Amino acid sequence: MHTTKNLSAMVADVVAEHGFTLDEWMVLDAIRRNDGSAMSQISTASGCAGASLTRAVDKLVTGSLVYREASQVDRRKVEVFISDRGRDAHQELREQLRDLDERVEKMTSVSGISREALVELCGALRGI
C-alpha cells in the first residue's frame, strides 16, 4: 500500500509539472482512450467520480484540452471529446510517464533491488 502511494506521488509530481492534478490526468487519459465518452464512462475508466470528476472535466474544458457535445443518440446526455491540443498534451505527458517507468525499471535492473523497494526508497527521499 505504501509503495502504491509513493508511486502515485512520483506520477503526481510529473503531471504537476504540466499543471495537472492526478485526477485531471486520469480523466484526460480516460477520454483519450475512449473519445466521446459519457461522464459515467469517464468515471468508470478514470476512477474519478462526483464533484472531482466534474471539476477535472471543467478544468480540461477551460484549458481547451477537451470539449463537450450533446449526444447524437440521446440529446439529454453529454459526451466529452479530446481536442487536438488535448491529444498533444496527453502524448507529451504520456512520454514523460513512460520515461519515468523506464528509469525505475533501469534502476531496478542495475541495482538489483525490487521495483517496490526502489519506489519506497524514492518516497523516503522525497520526504527529506
Side-chain angles (χ1 to χ4, degrees), residues 26-87:
M26 297 298 291
V27 168
L28 182 63
D29 187 55
I31 295 166
R32 174 67 177 99
R33 286 184 281 116
N34 300 296
D35 204 20
S37 296
M39 292 292 277
S40 60
Q41 294 167 310
I42 297 168
S43 177
T44 300
S46 69
C48 188
S52 295
L53 175 62
T54 301
R55 277 192 301 273
V57 171
D58 286 348
K59 184 175 176 193
L60 295 172
V61 168
T62 299
S64 301
L65 301 170
V66 302
Y67 59 95
R68 296 179 180 106
E69 284 187 1
S71 170
Q72 298 297 319
V73 177
D74 183 348
R75 302 294 289 172
R76 297 171 296 174
K77 293 185 179 182
V78 173
E79 295 172 338
V80 184
F81 298 86
I82 194 163
S83 68
D84 290 341
R85 182 175 178 175
R87 203 171 276 109

Side-chain angles (χ1 to χ4, degrees), residues 1-4 6-7 104 108 113-123:
M1 178 68 165
H2 199 67
T3 301
T4 303
N6 285 332
L7 188 55
V104 168
T108 58
I113 65 174
S114 72
R115 183 178 183 96
E116 292 77 16
L118 179 63
V119 171
E120 289 295 324
L121 175 61
C122 289

Side-chain angles (χ1 to χ4, degrees), residues 7-17 20-22 97:
L7 188 55
S8 292
M10 291 168 68
V11 172
D13 287 346
V14 172
V15 300
E17 292 174 13
F20 293 109
T21 64
L22 194 51
L97 291 171

